[in-house]
Amino acid sequence: MNVKVIATSSSLGLAARLSTLLGCSMIAVDEKVFPDGEKYVRVPHRLEGSTVVLVHSLYQPQDERFLQLLLAIDAAKGAGAERVIVVVPYVAYARQDKRFLEGEPISVKVIFKAIEAAGADALITVDLHRPSSLDEWLEIPHANVIPIDALIGYFRGRLSNPVVLAPDRGALHRAQLAAQLLGAQYDYLEKVRDRVTGEVKVVPKSLDVKGGDMLIVDDIISTGGTIAAASKSVLTEGARNVYAACTHALLVSGALDRLYAAGVREVVATDTVPSPVSKVSVAESLAKAVNEMLTTLSL
Ligand code: R5P
């Protein structure tokens, strides 16, 4: 099969690692902005007969990147690609996956429907906030990669008497997986977020954390408010050290400073979003998912 990785500026490093693992060439998309602010992308090669793996992540500025993705899908199809497998390492708007308040949109539905309408033949993402959103809103084949092995691998042998914590009940499945890999205990905290102000509070909970190293795992660190609140809570309960691992390090508004000020010793994230703490790569997990998708599509 003739496979080509196409990368935009959002994910050049990850796309390069992925193309090496897949053993295929990588083409970088030409990008520019017109004087009035409109975006332009161009695939600078013909792609007849190819299956394209288009890698494009939707971190900030997410609205611009979203439009670039749609344009790049259409450009790849127009350049002759037989099929386009879209790899979106980080899907923006995935947390607005239901109408929490009356009158709100289901933003993740809008994102997925637009990707499909632009011509994507399959979609692969990483640690989607609520994985069932894929089944709910996509008709095309799709996969959600959980890079917990890579994240936890980083901490193996570095923690003493570890306990893995989910900052809320919704993230418990991730903590459970991580704990299995580390051979550790796991638990969750009760998080309450004010839906209007966004302020996060962790309800104090009696945990058996005394003298242990806590590893708090979450899908996203945005402001750092969630993990900072969790860190303060477990340090009050007598934890020895707190470490944080997340898949997508959005790190807005001084998030790292907030985390360190709350007693977090080290923050580790993947390269779905480039950041100063993106110390592990999801490339291997993505390569496996792409190979599986190629098999699915060729049936
Ligand atoms: C929300 O439910 C997510 O799983 C994360 O916990 C949240 O997005 C983290 O945001 P922040 O770092 O701003 O607290």
Side-chain angles (χ1 to χ4, degrees):
M1 202 181 297
N2 177 6
V3 179
K4 289 189 172 64
V5 168
I6 296 206
T8 67
S9 57
S10 73
S11 305
L12 283 175
L14 176 55
R17 289 187 273 282
L18 181 61
S19 65
T20 304
L21 290 165
L22 292 173
C24 64
S25 58
M26 181 181 107
I27 299 166
V29 166
D30 293 340
E31 298 167 33
K32 68 178 181 185
V33 182
F34 287 108
D36 61 0
E38 291 182 1
K39 306 289 171 294
Y40 171 92
V41 302
R42 177 168 178 264
V43 178
H45 288 272
R46 292 302 302 168
L47 298 169
E48 268 81 12
S50 329
T51 294
V52 159
V53 177
L54 171 62
V55 188
H56 181 84
S57 196
L58 297 179
Y59 58 94
Q60 277 188 316
Q62 52 278 71
D63 298 354
E64 280 181 28
R65 292 199 198 280
F66 177 51
L67 188 65
Q68 275 179 327
L69 172 62
L70 303 182
L71 298 178
I73 295 169
D74 187 68
K77 280 285 174 83
E82 217 162 79
R83 285 179 292 214
V84 178
I85 299 173
V86 179
V87 174
V88 187
Y90 170 67
V91 173
Y93 292 97
R95 286 167 287 179
Q96 184 71 30
D97 56 11
K98 63 177 180 186
R99 302 185 206 279
F100 297 98
L101 299 177
E102 207 178 309
E104 290 181 344
I106 302 174
S107 307
V108 71
K109 171 179 81 174
V110 176
I111 298 284
F112 284 154
K113 293 286 176 201
I115 290 173
E116 213 168 57
D121 295 286
L123 183 139
I124 299 173
T125 187
V126 181
D127 203 356
L128 190 70
H129 181 63
R130 190 163 59 83
S132 58
S133 301
L134 288 163
D135 293 337
E136 270 176 90
W137 307 119
L138 280 174
E139 307 282 331
I140 54 175
H142 47 264
N144 181 43
V145 165
I146 306 288
I148 201 81
D149 293 29
L151 268 178
I152 294 313
Y154 180 90
F155 288 98
R156 208 166 276 126
R158 294 185 192 213
L159 306 179
S160 133
N161 194 13
V163 178
V164 182
L165 286 175
D168 55 42
R169 193 194 279 260
L172 188 59
H173 65 286
R174 201 176 290 104
Q176 194 173 358
L177 274 177
Q180 269 164 14
L181 291 169
L182 276 177
Q185 300 295 311
Y186 66 94
D187 208 329
Y188 68 93
L189 299 163
E190 290 285 1
K191 171 172 104 175
V192 188
R193 183 187 289 273
D194 185 311
R195 284 272 157 217
V196 179
T197 64
E199 197 199 341
V200 171
K201 284 192 184 131
V202 167
V203 180
K205 179 175 173 185
S206 196
L207 291 173
D208 188 14
V209 298
K210 288 204 173 46
D213 283 349
M214 301 300 111
L215 176 59
I216 307 176
V217 290
D218 208 354
D219 56 342
I220 297 169
I221 296 177
S222 178
T223 64
T226 299
I227 291 188
S231 173
K232 285 181 195 158
S233 172
V234 292
L235 285 170
T236 308
E237 294 288 329
R240 191 173 79 123
N241 290 308
V242 176
Y243 296 85
C246 77
T247 306
H248 314 292
L250 302 181
L251 303 182
V252 300
S253 325
L256 280 180
D257 289 343
R258 183 169 296 124
L259 292 171
Y260 297 136
V264 177
R265 225 181 139 91
E266 187 174 4
V267 183
V268 174
T270 76
D271 54 356
T272 59
V273 177
S275 83
V277 296
S278 296
K279 298 172 189 172
V280 300
S281 182
V282 295
E284 270 188 36
S285 313
L286 279 178
K288 189 164 167 271
V290 168
N291 280 324
E292 284 167 6
M293 190 59 78
L294 291 171
T295 308
T296 304
L297 293 177
S298 63
L299 286 177

